[in-house]
Every structure is written in C-alpha cells, then in structure tokens.
Amino acid sequence: LDEPGLDIAAGEEFLQEVFQILLEEGVRKSTDVTQKVCDWKEPQELRELLDLELRSDGEGRERLLQRCRDVLRLSVRTGHPRFFNQLFSGLDHHALAGRFLTETLNTSPYTYEVAPVLVLMEEQVLAKLRELVGWSSGDGIFTPGGSMSNMLAMNVARFRRFPESRSRGIWDLPHLGLFASQESHYSILKGAALLGIGTDNVHLVQTDKRGKMIPEELEKEIQRVKAEGSEPLFVCATSGTTVLGTFDPLDAIADVCARHGLWLHVDAAWGGSALLSPQLRHLLAGIHRSDSVTWNPHKLLMVGLQCSAFLLRDSSGLLQRCHGVGATYLFQRDKFYDVSLDTGDKSPQCGRRADGLKLWILWKAVGTRGLARRVERAFAATRYLLEQVKRREGFQLVME
C-alpha cells in the first residue's frame, strides 16, 4: 500500500506547508472580520477555477498546495464573525485541535481495543451530558447529526413497545401515530419515511403565536388518532425550534405522554446547550422527564461539525438490544477487558467518527462555566439584536 507516492520525508514536509496554509487561510483569515465571508462564484465559474477533472497522472507539490489554498479561499468561511447562514458558526481553536486529532488517529470508537482513549472520552462526555439533562444513569451514543439522533429515538421507541418488530418487521404492527409540533424539525418526517412508519402517520400539533406546541392540542390529536384506530407511540417536543428558536412546554407535554404511556423525545439539538447555564436552563424545565434527548454541541458551543449526542434515560441496554447483531469479528465476548466498552453495536452504523473528542478537549479547556458563558453571550447578543430592530428605522419586528 506504500506505493506509489508515499515518500515519508516529502509527505511530512507537505503536511507542514499545508498546516501553515490552514493556519493562515483557514483560521486567521476565516475569523477576520475585515475579510469576506465568501468570495461567491456561480457554479460554472467555480468549476473552471477549481479544475475539478481527475486525470491519469498526479500533480506536483506546488500545484497541490495551491489547490489547498483555493479550497479555503473559495469556500464559505463558517468561522467568520459575520456568518449567519446556519445554526452553527464560529471557530474554537481547542475544538479544532480535537478535530485534527480525530482525523490523524483515523479510527472508529466501536471497540475499546481499536480506540481505547476515544471510547473512554465518549463515555465521560455522554455521562456529563446526561447529568445536565437531570439523569443519574442512562445510555447514549454520538451520531452523524441531529436528524439521525431523532431517527434513533423513533426506532428505539418502536422497539421498546414492539420488540418483535426487530425480527419480523412492520407487517404485524398497528398503524403507529407520531406527534410533533408544526415548528418541529423535518427529520421527524424523514425518519417516519425511513423507518416504514409513513409520513402520513406523523401528526403535526398546533402551536401558539410564539411557536410553542399547545399541550391541549396534543391531547386532542392523540384522542383523534386513537378514535381512528391507530396506536399513538411517540411525541417529539422541541427545545429550540429551527426557525423561531422556540422552547416547547416540556412539563405539560410530559404530563400528556404519561397519561397515554407514550415515549417522550426532546429534540434539543439547538437549545440543549442552554442546560449548561444556571440562568437559562429553566427554558428546558421538565426535560428530565423525557425518555430520550437529541443534543448538538456543534450548534451553540462552536465544537465544529459534527457533534450530535443521542441520550437515553433507559439503562437496561435498550440501544444494544434494538440495534446489536454481535458481529463476531468485532464484538467477541471473551476479550481480556470489560466488553461493555465495545459500544459500536448500539448504533446502526459500523464505522463512526470519534465526535466526543473535540467536545472533551473544549470542555477541558474552558470548563462548564466557560461553556455556560458562551451560551449566555449568544442569548445576550440575541436580546441586543432584538432591541436594535425595535428602534432602528426601516426595520419591522415580526415576533418578540
């Protein structure tokens, strides 16, 4: 595998030059407010500038270095102070160091034997996130994003109610009913399609004028679905909706779920980081009553893509029973260490990124208080913008 092209000395020299380009173009300029967020090009012009064609022969070092510069120069600088396009932005140097380490190690945290450090880090980070939710025990796994975390919640909820669905499929199951607010993330519909539940069986509950799910309307929808002969299964509440940033009333929704025996999932992909702040965690009051939580530190904490945690209150091994198949070449039971550290079978994935490492390093660098201040600053900036819109001529405030 070392041929062709693996000249170690030349490779290390190339990497050193690439690191300098990364530092100058990818870090310094990308976070400099005097630079552009993006040097926008139309698709055809960009194709010509990049010369994307893959040819029979390779290129020299200088040409490759220029290509690295071009990638950074012509891409969107999401770490820029004026990047407002998505729910992730900013660049944290400690978290970026974690991402460099993850790529360099190039391993998957599915077994302790191949990723001992990373497995233990993931265990610690997930435990700390569960503690902030309000659980003293439980389970969890990192996933490739909030959408996948939400889909895992739906799959685990179905497995708990109908364990036979794992082996027999959906053929003998009743029509299942899923519930989420009108402002919920579109991944709930995608998940219903992927899992064979069907998008027609996702019932979007009415929200109030601020975008919060109305618990009384949830109760009505559940009663209606029952009357039509379907079986309610799962409720997704949202803590920090994508468009309005709304936090659903979790305690009242949990009351409804408790009455009907439904799985309560909280999509806190964006808003979960408010749990770090003593000033803001009231926004998620009642989250400890949920069965599962999605939390994306890559959104509000500047951890970097991707970092999404799926957290589970159950500590009976539900994730393992739902997804595990015990591939003998990976998950032997007679290993010389505690095989509960081989967590890969909890996930539908085989290969997984070690997404807990960058969050662990950031947390070590700034501590829980530092993370809390970052979240509080974001909320303070929002309040500042709100007041500016109110008093600035030519702007109209759509919603308080």
Side-chain angles (χ1 to χ4, degrees), residues 65-352:
L65 291 172
Q66 184 55 47
R67 292 197 180 281
C68 292
R69 294 186 189 94
D70 289 343
V71 168
L72 293 167
R73 179 174 60 87
L74 295 168
S75 292
V76 178
R77 292 167 166 168
T78 63
H80 195 284
R82 299 291 182 267
F83 174 75
F84 302 124
N85 187 249
Q86 305 292 324
L87 292 185
F88 58 88
S89 65
L91 186 148
D92 183 277
H93 299 81
H94 298 102
L96 181 59
R99 289 150 72 188
F100 287 155
L101 286 169
T102 300
E103 293 303 313
T104 304
L105 289 169
N106 189 41
T107 191
S108 174
Y110 42 34
T111 65
Y112 179 82
E113 70 184 84
V114 77
V117 174
L118 304 178
V119 165
L120 295 182
M121 283 181 176
E122 180 169 287
E123 178 185 61
Q124 178 61 36
V125 172
L126 290 170
K128 192 66 176 179
L129 294 177
R130 288 195 302 268
E131 178 187 319
L132 288 164
V133 169
W135 301 332
S136 58
S137 61
D139 204 349
I141 198 94
F142 280 97
T143 77
S147 292
M148 284 305 302
S149 290
N150 288 342
M151 292 178 199
L152 285 192
M154 299 161 70
N155 197 38
V156 171
R158 181 174 63 181
F159 174 77
R160 187 184 69 170
R161 178 81 67 85
F162 302 103
E164 70 277 10
S165 64
R166 173 188 154 97
S167 56
R168 297 172 60 185
I170 62 174
W171 309 113
D172 296 329
L173 297 185
H175 279 111
L176 301 177
L178 311 180
F179 304 85
S181 86
Q182 294 170 337
E183 296 293 328
S184 62
H185 193 257
Y186 64 83
S187 58
I188 303 303
L189 290 168
K190 280 195 172 187
L194 182 67
L195 295 172
I197 294 171
T199 57
D200 287 351
N201 296 311
V202 176
H203 307 280
L204 299 181
V205 179
Q206 185 179 338
T207 57
D208 63 18
K209 62 182 180 180
R210 297 289 294 276
K212 298 174 184 287
M213 183 193 290
I214 302 172
E216 294 77 12
E217 293 298 322
L218 172 63
E219 176 72 38
K220 290 178 185 177
E221 278 295 298
I222 292 170
Q223 297 289 4
R224 181 184 65 79
V225 166
K226 281 184 174 180
E228 291 175 353
S230 295
E231 183 158 347
L233 172 72
F234 173 94
V235 174
C236 177
T238 311
S239 291
T241 59
T242 306
V243 178
L244 298 177
T246 293
F247 289 76
D248 285 339
L250 301 183
D251 258 325
I253 292 170
D255 289 341
V256 176
C257 291
R259 279 197 297 274
H260 295 278
L262 306 185
W263 183 284
L264 174 57
H265 175 66
V266 178
D267 178 1
W270 174 76
S273 294
L275 289 169
L276 288 154
S277 166
Q279 301 174 22
L280 297 168
R281 61 176 294 118
H282 67 89
L283 294 168
L284 296 97
I287 193 171
H288 65 285
R289 300 175 63 189
S290 64
D291 295 287
S292 56
V293 170
T294 290
W295 183 346
N296 288 8
H298 72 233
K299 286 189 163 70
L300 201 52
L301 298 181
M302 297 167 58
V303 173
L305 291 167
Q306 60 199 29
C307 189
S308 176
F310 172 64
L311 306 174
L312 194 64
R313 184 172 58 174
D314 179 274
S315 57
S316 71
L318 194 57
L319 265 178
Q320 179 77 30
R321 298 198 307 277
C322 181
H323 298 126
V325 293
T328 55
Y329 68 91
L330 272 180
F331 305 115
Q332 302 93 350
R333 307 307 299 171
D334 59 349
K335 291 182 180 179
F336 50 86
Y337 57 82
D338 178 4
V339 293
S340 68
L341 293 170
D342 289 356
T343 58
D345 229 9
K346 295 179 182 180
S347 169
Q349 297 171 258
C350 180
R352 264 193 321 122

Side-chain angles (χ1 to χ4, degrees), residues 20-40:
Q20 288 302 312
I21 293 170
L22 284 171
L23 188 59
E24 182 60 32
E25 299 287 337
V27 177
R28 290 175 185 153
K29 288 186 179 179
S30 292
T31 56
D32 184 349
V33 73
T34 67
Q35 299 286 321
K36 289 183 177 180
V37 175
C38 178
D39 185 9
W40 178 258

